[in-house]
Amino acid sequence: MSKICLNGFKEENITLLKNKDATRKNIRKSFSKITKNAKANDRMLIFFAGHGETEDLPEGGEMGYLLPYDTDTQDL
């Protein structure tokens, strides 16, 4: 029997990336794993607690970015 961890999500279906493990590469790998394993009507919860950056667009408006641990803020 699977352990239930968070709001009915099975522990083996939870990926936690913190600090130096929350790199762009690891986040993308985790999203890839989710999309390969998800079935129709599966529920998915993505929680991001971290930094972000907003830059002005030349034509007006803004573009927002979530910043992984290894972000180069000079090359968003």
Side-chain angles (χ1 to χ4, degrees), residues 18-35:
K18 299 188 316 184
N19 303 321
K20 68 178 186 273
D21 294 327
T23 63
R24 181 177 189 266
K25 180 180 176 182
N26 287 345
I27 292 169
R28 290 176 60 93
K29 281 173 56 176
S30 295
F31 281 150
S32 178
K33 181 181 172 186
I34 290 168
T35 58

Side-chain angles (χ1 to χ4, degrees), residues 11 13 27 30 49 53 68 71:
E11 188 173 343
N13 292 334
I27 292 169
S30 295
E53 177 110 4
T71 298

Side-chain angles (χ1 to χ4, degrees), residues 44-61:
M44 180 173 54
L45 170 68
I46 297 172
F47 177 79
F48 179 86
H51 296 278
E53 177 110 4
T54 303
E55 65 181 10
D56 295 324
L57 297 174
E59 64 277 1

